[in-house]
Amino acid sequence: EGGLHRPRRRPRRRAWRGPTTDVTPKQRQKHALALEKLRAELVRAGPAKIEPNRTDPASAGVADEDAQALSEMLQVLASSRNRGRAELLAKIGRALRKLADAPEDFGLCEDCEEEIAPKRLALVPYAAYCPACQAKRDPARGGVRKKLTDFR
């Protein structure tokens, strides 16, 4: 058996496990309020405005090539910002549903089912993963680009 490697199995999820986190109902309410406030701020800010390339409907494109490139870059940035806001709103909605539907699971990592640190939940109330599992799921963050064209 020397050299053979057995893949590690994920623990089975039990149908019912009762309250397993140290998050109290009062803390859950505090997290719910923070999530609602964050969602309201995002909705109030609205989407980033994507400016058209041309301001005059009679003209085609932008007269200046530099202005064209700048306009396209600003469109890409606004689109990216809007996509990020939409993803954050989805995470907030998911956390609020978890608080409403399965409050005993709030504060547990969705991968390893270990408790998420209270300080992490205080800073990121929509966190679904502990830092170790988050790093496995999103290894590109904090990484270094190897090529100029590596955007993620």
Side-chain angles (χ1 to χ4, degrees), residues 38-49 81-82 85 89:
L38 185 57
R39 181 168 61 179
E41 288 172 7
L42 285 169
V43 170
R44 185 174 38 254
K49 190 172 181 184
R81 197 172 302 128
N82 288 339
R85 284 182 181 169
L89 281 169

Side-chain angles (χ1 to χ4, degrees), residues 33-62:
L33 289 172
L35 287 164
E36 290 287 354
K37 181 180 176 186
L38 185 57
R39 181 168 61 179
E41 288 172 7
L42 285 169
V43 170
R44 185 174 38 254
K49 190 172 181 184
I50 299 176
E51 296 290 336
N53 278 339
R54 53 193 172 115
T55 54
D56 179 18
S59 67
V62 177

Side-chain angles (χ1 to χ4, degrees), residues 9-112:
R9 297 177 118 191
R10 284 182 58 170
R12 284 191 200 166
R13 292 182 184 251
R14 295 175 287 196
W16 185 86
R17 65 177 167 270
T20 56
T21 64
D22 292 335
V23 181
T24 65
K26 188 174 182 178
Q27 290 170 325
R28 287 186 197 123
Q29 185 178 17
K30 186 177 176 183
H31 290 304
L33 289 172
L35 287 164
E36 290 287 354
K37 181 180 176 186
L38 185 57
R39 181 168 61 179
E41 288 172 7
L42 285 169
V43 170
R44 185 174 38 254
K49 190 172 181 184
I50 299 176
E51 296 290 336
N53 278 339
R54 53 193 172 115
T55 54
D56 179 18
S59 67
V62 177
D64 183 12
E65 287 182 18
D66 291 337
Q68 174 73 27
L70 178 62
S71 176
E72 289 174 4
M73 182 184 69
L74 290 174
Q75 287 179 351
V76 168
L77 290 173
S79 179
S80 177
R81 197 172 302 128
N82 288 339
R83 189 173 30 260
R85 284 182 181 169
E87 289 171 4
L88 182 55
L89 281 169
K91 288 178 184 178
I92 291 170
R94 185 174 179 179
L96 286 168
R97 279 190 303 279
K98 187 184 242 185
L99 276 167
D101 299 342
E104 67 277 355
D105 287 345
F106 184 80
L108 289 179
C109 176
E110 291 182 5
D111 257 359
C112 67

